[in-house]
């Protein structure tokens, strides 16, 4: 196919895509995404509820779960702090974020659930 044929084919494909887009209901992208993934989310939510129930019944397992969240929150807070002054928007973000810092609260919870040596008892989840 020559250049003209390729261009015509692209134009036809674009026209078809545009027609399909116009025929879609005028709904928010987030709503369309939710509708498209609803069944997968139902299954995933069910598994998550079962895992949370098990974690809530075991103090050490709950502590480990809190430890995983702590690692994420702590890293976010540390990264934002390191970025202070490196970008004009960071001070604005940190101004709002300072009131929401959670690392110290997580550390207190970890002492409660895993004891004073909690840092040696938490692991990094495989997904990280």
């Amino acid at each position: 196919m020559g250049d003209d044929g390729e261009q015509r084919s692209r134009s036809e494909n674009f026209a078809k895509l545009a027609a399909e887009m116009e025929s879609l209901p005028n709904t928010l992208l987030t709503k369309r995404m939710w509708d498209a993934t609803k069944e997968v989310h139902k299954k995933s939510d069910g598994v998550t509820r079962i895992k949370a129930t098990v974690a809530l019944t075991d103090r050490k397992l709950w502590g480990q779960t809190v430890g995983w969240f702590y690692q994420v929150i702590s890293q976010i807070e540390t990264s934002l702090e390191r970025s202070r002054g490196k970008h004009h928007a960071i001070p604005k973000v940190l101004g709002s974020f300072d009131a929401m810092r959670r690392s110290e609260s997580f550390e207190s919870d970890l002492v409660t659930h895993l004891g004073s040596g909690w840092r040696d008892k938490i692991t990094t989840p495989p997904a990280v």
Side-chain angles (χ1 to χ4, degrees):
M1 197 181 278
D3 287 341
D4 289 339
E6 286 179 32
Q7 183 63 35
R8 189 173 32 256
S9 178
R10 281 189 210 135
S11 295
E12 289 169 358
N13 287 338
F14 183 76
K16 287 178 188 176
L17 179 61
E20 288 175 18
M21 294 292 285
E22 286 183 17
S23 71
L24 290 174
N26 190 12
T27 57
L28 295 174
L29 174 61
T30 52
K31 170 79 169 100
R32 291 196 319 254
M33 289 174 63
W34 172 251
D35 288 344
T37 60
K38 191 178 349 184
E39 292 306 313
V40 171
H41 278 109
K42 281 182 187 177
K43 292 176 186 173
S44 173
D45 290 349
V47 170
T48 301
R49 281 189 206 98
I50 291 168
K51 287 181 177 181
T53 302
V54 171
L56 286 169
T57 61
D58 183 319
R59 184 179 209 98
K60 288 182 182 177
L61 185 54
W62 178 249
Q64 188 64 246
T65 303
V66 171
W68 292 344
F69 283 100
Y70 166 78
Q71 292 176 68
V72 173
I73 295 299
S74 177
Q75 186 59 52
I76 290 170
E77 290 178 3
T78 300
S79 295
L80 282 172
E81 201 55 54
R82 269 194 233 132
S83 298
R84 192 184 291 272
K86 292 184 180 178
H87 189 278
H88 72 280
I90 296 296
K92 293 176 186 174
V93 170
L94 286 175
S96 301
F97 191 71
D98 283 340
M100 296 185 288
R101 290 184 182 271
R102 306 300 310 145
S103 289
E104 287 182 24
S105 296
F106 273 96
E107 290 169 4
S108 176
D109 289 347
L110 288 163
V111 169
T112 299
H113 294 288
L114 299 176
S116 60
W118 63 267
R119 288 184 192 275
D120 297 327
K121 296 175 184 170
I122 61 173
T123 61
T124 302
V128 175

